[in-house]
Structure formats: C-alpha cells, structure tokens
C-alpha cells in the first residue's frame, strides 16, 4: 500500500519549534529573504523579518491576461520574476543594519525552471533556441516528459540551467563580501534538476535530483563528516553551533554525531498514470532502491535498484524486469537495511517531497 500521508504540500508540525524561532528566543535577530517560492511563504512568520517578493508584478491586471503578459515580458528578457540580485541586495541591507547575534536565510531560485540567466548569458546559448525551448517547456509544464522535446531543445534547456548556476555563483560573491570572518556559513539546496531519466525538472528520486551540495564553514570544532549526510541533520548542526539544544521532536541529529540511518526519499509525480505515481526509496553508500506506487490503486508498480558506485548516473536497473518484491532485491544484494525497508514501506510516514541526501 502507498503511504497514506503523501500529499502535494509539505506541512510544518505546529507543536514543534523551528530553528529561527529557537534562535529568536535566544536573542538572535532573524530574517528570511525568499525569491518568489510560494511553497515557502508559510515560513515567513517564523522569522523576525521576512521578505518574499510577493505582489511585485508590474501589471495591474492580476487575471490570466496579466499573468501571461508578465510571463512574456520575463521570457523576452530571460529574467526571473525575482532574481538573486534583488534578494541579495535586500538581504545585505538587513544584515549590515543589524548587530550580532543574527541569523540570515537567503533562498534563491536561479537553478530552477524557468531557466532565465539574463539576456547576456542567454545570447551565449542562442536567443532563438532559448526562447523556443522555454516556450515549449511552458507549454508542457504539466507534463514534463522529455519526449516532448527535440534533442536540440533538451540541450538548450540544459545549457540555460548551467548558465543560471554561473549567474548564481557570481551573485554569491556579494554575500561573502559582507560576512564576518567568524560567521558560520552554510550553503545547500533542496533539490537538483534532472535531464537523464525521461522527465525534466525535479520529479523523481535519482541522484541528479536528491544529491545536492552541502558546504559549511565555521569556527566551531566540527568533526569530519562522511561523504554524504542527511538533510534533516543540517538544522540540528546549526543549532549546535549556536549553542542551542534542539527539541527532541526534531528528526535529525548534528553531523558531529553518529547517524547510521539510511537516507529515506519520497516524492509524488502526477504526470504518470491516471491519478499520478508516488515513489519512495532508500539510498545507502553504494545502493539506491526506488519503489513506485500507483496513487489511484495504491498498488506497487515497480522497483528499481542501482549500484551508485559503478553506475553513478543510474542507467542500469539491477532488477531489469522491474517487478517489485524484496525477495528479488535480496537475490541481487543481501543487504538487511534495504530488504527491511522494502518490507515495511507502508509504515514509513513522509510528506510529498522529502529530499534526504546531500553531498558534501
């Protein structure tokens, strides 16, 4: 059976305190600057100061015509609704006006569709190709199968994505310029983008989506962490650096502590099947297991197993017949944690998107 609590949105448990709330209670001045991500708006009340750029449309018509007019304007300029420069400028102003201790969260959307790196970088890719591929993506935004696109359009989208990363790298320098030498810096992402498994975006549980950067710089005596950590351990690690004890209700632990749990992953994709497909999986140091469920029937529709050491792009499913069943997996590799996981999938509780892995 598919886990019954998989939903389209992520909900924060109201009885649990968040990191910015704990920091504020401990005397920190906290702020969030969020670049036009509607999924994060409900977090703004957790901060002393927040800004998400909502209501910034240059058009008075808020109906469908105004929406398409604004979208066309941004497409021609290859400029995001709220780009990194806008958010970072406001974040810098806040940061430089506050005394320590202070906590700043900047959420940037550049490595995310629409892949709008600006006209100059778009010209490097080719403006005609950039416009054509972007329009095609908008046309198929509810059905992101890669077979809707030509090989050239797919390559154009990939190049635009890379250009967005280049732009973001350039903007991050402006943040580093204002940060004190003894400040703790954490850089990570909630997901990557996929181009190699039949869909475009971040719809599935392959490493190109769930394995993301994690960089931390701190004066604290941090032990050397393993090659991969779980994202749920990042927030407790920040709390530890700040000298704050995190609540027992938090799932994660600081990365300085032993955590031998495997990374549990989950997502829903409403473009596959009549009502959509739910996928949940587990990743160890050398194996990835993904099991799919039909949302309408709640029945398993297949299992994929990958050797992520010998097959890092996850192209060779070790269960080639793609039939579910722990006994088939055990025949491939007798790993107790994987077999146990597959035997108890229905007991795992997770939201619609729980990205569980980061690469240091």
């Amino acid at each position: 059976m598919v886990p019954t609590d998989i939903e389209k949105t992520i909900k924060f448990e109201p009885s649990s305190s968040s990191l910015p709330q704990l920091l504020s209670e401990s005397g920190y001045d906290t702020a969030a600057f969020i670049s036009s991500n509607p999924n994060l708006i409900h977090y703004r009340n957790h901060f002393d100061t927040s800004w998400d750029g909502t209501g910034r449309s240059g058009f008075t018509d808020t109906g469908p015509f105004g929406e398409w007019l604004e979208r066309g304007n941004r497409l021609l300029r290859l400029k995001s609704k709220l780009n990194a420069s806008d958010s970072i400028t406001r974040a810098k102003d806040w940061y430089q006006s506050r005394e320590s201790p202070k906590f700043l969260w900047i959420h940037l959307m550049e490595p995310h569709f629409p892949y709008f790196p600006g006209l100059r970088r778009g010209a490097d890719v080719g403006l005609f190709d950039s416009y054509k591929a972007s329009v095609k993506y908008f046309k198929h935004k509810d059905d992101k199968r890669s077979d809707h696109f030509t090989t050239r359009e797919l390559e154009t989208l990939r190049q635009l994505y890379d250009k967005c990363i280049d732009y973001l790298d350039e903007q991050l320098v402006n943040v580093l310029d204002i940060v004190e030498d003894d400040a703790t810096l954490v850089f990570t992402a909630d997901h990557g983008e996929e181009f190699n498994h039949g869909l475009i975006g971040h719809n599935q549980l392959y490493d190109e989506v769930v394995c993301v950067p994690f960089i931390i710089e701190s004066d604290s005596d941090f032990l050397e962490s393993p090659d991969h950590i779980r994202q749920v351990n990042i927030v407790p690690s920040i709390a530890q650096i700040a000298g704050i004890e995190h609540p027992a209700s938090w799932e994660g632990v600081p990365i300085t502590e032993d955590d031998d749990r495997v990374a549990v992953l989950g997502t829903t994709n409403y473009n596959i099947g009549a009502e959509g497909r739910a996928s949940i999986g587990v990743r160890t140091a050398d194996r990835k297991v993904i099991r799919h469920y039909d949302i309408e029937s709640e029945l398993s529709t297949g299992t994929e197993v990958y050797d992520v050491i010998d097959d890092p792009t996850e192209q060779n499913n070790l269960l080639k017949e793609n039939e579910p069943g722990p006994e088939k997996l055990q025949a491939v590799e007798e790993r107790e944690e994987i077999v146990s996981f597959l035997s108890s999938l229905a007991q795992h509780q997770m939201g619609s998107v729980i990205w569980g892995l980061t690469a240091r």
Side-chain angles (χ1 to χ4, degrees):
M1 300 292 286
V2 64
T4 56
D5 62 340
I6 289 184
E7 300 175 352
K8 290 186 179 180
T9 57
I10 304 172
K11 296 181 178 179
F12 187 84
E13 176 57 51
S15 63
S16 181
S17 296
S18 66
L19 175 65
Q21 289 173 327
L22 289 178
L23 290 171
S24 182
E25 293 169 0
S26 299
Y28 279 74
D29 202 344
T30 65
F33 292 84
I34 302 169
S35 296
S36 295
N37 188 334
N39 296 315
L40 300 177
I41 290 176
H42 54 283
Y43 289 120
R44 55 188 171 193
N45 293 331
H46 293 236
F47 294 83
D48 300 325
T49 301
S50 65
W51 184 81
D52 53 38
T54 55
R56 296 182 71 254
S57 171
F59 301 95
T60 57
D61 184 354
T62 58
F65 177 74
E67 179 183 346
W68 279 102
L69 198 58
E70 180 186 359
R71 181 175 293 179
N73 179 47
R74 288 188 278 116
L75 172 63
L76 289 175
R77 296 185 297 156
L78 292 178
K79 184 179 185 299
S80 300
K81 185 175 184 179
L82 179 62
N83 63 22
S85 178
D86 296 328
S87 297
I88 289 175
T89 297
R90 288 169 172 79
K92 286 175 62 175
D93 290 343
W94 177 89
Y95 192 86
Q96 293 175 316
S97 68
R98 297 302 194 275
E99 299 294 331
S100 296
K102 49 193 172 184
F103 174 77
L104 171 63
W105 177 39
I106 308 175
H107 177 82
L108 305 173
M109 291 287 285
E110 261 62 32
H112 193 291
F113 193 84
Y115 308 131
F116 288 167
L119 278 175
R120 177 170 60 85
R121 289 180 173 82
D124 292 340
V125 177
L127 289 179
F128 178 79
D129 285 343
S130 298
Y131 293 146
K132 184 172 180 285
S134 297
V135 169
K136 179 74 77 70
Y137 189 100
F138 280 122
K139 180 181 177 181
H140 296 287
K141 66 183 180 67
D142 295 323
D143 184 2
K144 301 172 185 175
R145 289 174 296 175
S146 56
D147 57 12
H148 289 309
F149 302 84
T150 66
T151 301
R152 182 166 181 167
E153 288 167 346
L154 288 173
E155 180 58 27
T156 296
L157 290 172
R158 187 192 297 269
Q159 290 183 34
L160 288 171
Y161 174 61
D162 290 342
K163 290 293 184 180
C164 286
I165 296 174
D166 290 343
Y167 169 74
L168 182 62
D169 287 346
E170 181 181 276
Q171 294 301 314
L172 287 176
V173 174
N174 295 323
V175 177
L176 300 177
D177 284 344
I178 67 166
V179 175
E180 300 88 349
D181 292 339
D182 60 349
T184 294
L185 288 169
V186 178
F187 175 81
T188 189
D190 54 344
H191 59 75
E193 295 285 278
E194 62 179 311
F195 297 91
N196 300 319
H197 291 91
L199 294 173
I200 304 174
H202 41 277
N203 305 280
Q204 303 180 97
L205 299 179
Y206 303 107
D207 269 9
E208 57 189 327
V209 174
V210 302
C211 193
V212 299
F214 173 66
I215 302 170
I216 183 169
E217 180 178 340
S218 175
D219 281 349
S220 299
D221 294 329
F222 251 68
L223 302 177
E224 189 69 24
S225 74
D227 290 337
H228 292 90
I229 68 168
R230 302 175 73 224
Q231 280 188 328
V232 293
N233 293 342
I234 296 177
V235 170
S237 300
I238 297 174
Q240 183 187 60
I241 293 172
I244 299 172
E245 184 175 353
H246 70 271
S249 58
W250 288 8
E251 181 182 347
V253 298
I255 60 177
T256 54
E257 299 180 13
D258 291 333
D259 184 12
D260 57 0
R261 297 173 296 175
V262 294
V264 179
L265 314 164
T267 189
T268 50
N269 189 320
Y270 294 92
N271 299 326
I272 300 177
E275 297 294 330
R277 183 180 76 179
S279 302
I280 49 181
V282 64
R283 192 191 195 282
T284 64
D286 62 350
R287 286 291 188 273
K288 165 80 71 60
V289 181
I290 305 170
R291 175 166 280 186
H292 306 292
Y293 293 87
D294 180 79
I295 291 179
E296 183 178 29
S297 66
E298 298 188 345
L299 297 176
S300 175
T301 60
T303 301
E304 300 175 57
V305 180
Y306 296 99
D307 183 331
V308 294
I309 302 298
D310 294 336
D311 180 25
T313 60
E314 297 162 292
Q315 300 296 318
N316 180 32
N317 181 8
L318 298 180
L319 294 184
K320 296 184 186 301
E321 61 273 35
N322 206 33
E323 295 179 3
E327 68 285 349
K328 291 184 178 294
L329 172 62
Q330 194 167 11
V332 175
E333 180 75 20
E334 292 188 0
R335 300 185 64 87
E336 180 180 352
E337 70 273 24
I338 295 179
V339 176
S340 174
F341 173 81
L342 286 176
S343 300
S344 60
L345 285 177
Q347 301 175 21
H348 282 264
Q349 297 184 353
M350 57 183 64
S352 63
V353 184
I354 300 181
W355 311 113
L357 190 69
T358 57
R360 188 173 176 125

